[in-house]
Amino acid sequence: MRRAMPLPDTMFCAQQIHIPPELPDILKQFTKAAIRTQPADVLQWSAGYFSALSRGDPLPVKDRIEMPMATQKTDTGLTQGLLKVLHKQCSHKQYVDLADLEQKWKNLCLPIENFRTLLQLDPCENKIEWMKFLALGCSMLGGSLNTAMKHLCEILTTDPEGGPARVPFETFSYVYRYLSRLDSDIPEADTEAYLTSLQDTVNSRKNGMIGLSDFFALTRKV
């Protein structure tokens, strides 16, 4: 039997190689996104990045490089920046499919066991209300309800970074009640009394918004 001959080396000239004109910019933006996001698994994250890019979906990219947080009791891999990425990808829907959410979680190179642990806090079948998942994620970041709400405000606000981190009081109170109900140590009466006090502050301003300064000022009093 005759042995197959190796294929000869193919010579290309510049005229034979077609480089799409958009390729350099795509690679430049990809590189900058990878540097900002610092994915633990570049290949896994890259697959999610280009998949989202091809569909025109929000990209799994952080706004900036993050420093490690000191508020987490254990290193879950989850950060405020990664939660903000998920918010950009999912907040256009009131409810998100768990299968799609799990894939986005994987694309951010987050441990899947932490995703399942988070869902055990409020079990559901096929879908979850996005705001509730975001609230659970914020609770995973910090060891207290106040810390979770701080993360929530900083993720949801449209104020510049370092600003008052204002959010609609309606959204704040909805999440606060939700997380309080999951904590059996917080009496419902205490929750309602606290939110009523915050509502008085909001009403005096007449803009329907609450900022971190309002939140922590009242927290110190109660």
Side-chain angles (χ1 to χ4, degrees):
M1 185 172 66
R2 297 178 60 185
R3 178 178 300 176
M5 297 295 292
L7 294 175
D9 291 336
T10 303
M11 299 297 292
F12 293 98
C13 63
Q15 290 76 13
Q16 291 176 294
I17 302 175
H18 173 67
I19 300 178
E22 65 272 19
L23 181 60
D25 186 60
I26 289 175
L27 295 179
K28 179 181 178 180
Q29 296 305 318
F30 165 75
T31 302
K32 290 167 65 176
I35 292 172
R36 287 204 307 274
T37 307
Q38 299 284 302
D41 184 333
V42 176
L43 290 179
Q44 175 70 47
W45 175 82
S46 299
Y49 178 93
F50 285 110
S51 178
L53 184 65
S54 68
R55 298 192 305 267
D57 292 342
L59 300 174
V61 180
K62 290 182 182 179
D63 294 334
R64 57 180 175 82
I65 297 176
E66 285 185 294
M67 298 299 291
M69 292 194 312
T71 57
Q72 288 176 279
K73 295 181 179 179
T74 58
D75 183 11
T76 63
L78 188 62
T79 66
Q80 186 183 107
L82 291 176
L83 265 181
K84 194 169 185 177
V85 170
L86 287 171
H87 182 64
K88 289 178 180 178
Q89 293 181 310
C90 300
S91 60
H92 62 288
K93 296 180 179 179
Q94 182 180 359
Y95 289 87
V96 289
D97 292 330
L98 291 184
D100 182 54
L101 186 53
E102 180 176 331
Q103 185 59 54
K104 286 180 169 60
W105 184 276
K106 289 179 180 177
N107 289 341
L108 291 173
C109 312
L110 292 167
I112 194 61
E113 59 270 19
N114 292 341
F115 176 79
R116 291 165 183 161
T117 297
L118 190 150
L119 289 177
Q120 287 175 0
L121 298 174
D122 188 13
C124 51
E125 293 188 4
N126 301 315
K127 294 183 178 183
I128 187 171
E129 186 179 343
W130 169 248
M131 194 57 65
K132 289 184 176 180
F133 185 87
L134 179 62
L136 294 174
C138 288
S139 70
M140 181 176 277
L141 292 180
S144 70
L145 176 57
N146 287 342
T147 303
M149 296 307 297
K150 177 179 181 294
H151 286 300
L152 182 91
C153 290
E154 291 175 341
I155 290 172
L156 295 182
T157 189
T158 58
D159 291 329
E161 185 176 349
R166 293 167 299 181
V167 297
F169 178 73
E170 182 180 359
T171 301
F172 181 95
S173 58
Y174 178 78
V175 173
Y176 193 91
R177 283 191 180 98
Y178 172 68
L179 291 179
S180 295
R181 285 197 296 268
L182 296 179
D183 188 340
S184 58
D185 293 332
I186 302 178
E188 183 178 351
D190 289 358
T191 297
E192 293 307 315
Y194 177 69
L195 290 176
T196 297
S197 298
L198 282 178
Q199 180 75 70
D200 292 340
T201 300
V202 172
N203 289 343
S204 67
R205 195 172 296 129
K206 299 180 181 179
N207 63 1
M209 304 289 283
I210 182 172
L212 288 182
S213 59
D214 306 316
F215 170 49
F216 284 116
L218 187 57
T219 298
R220 287 193 291 269
K221 294 178 183 178
V222 296

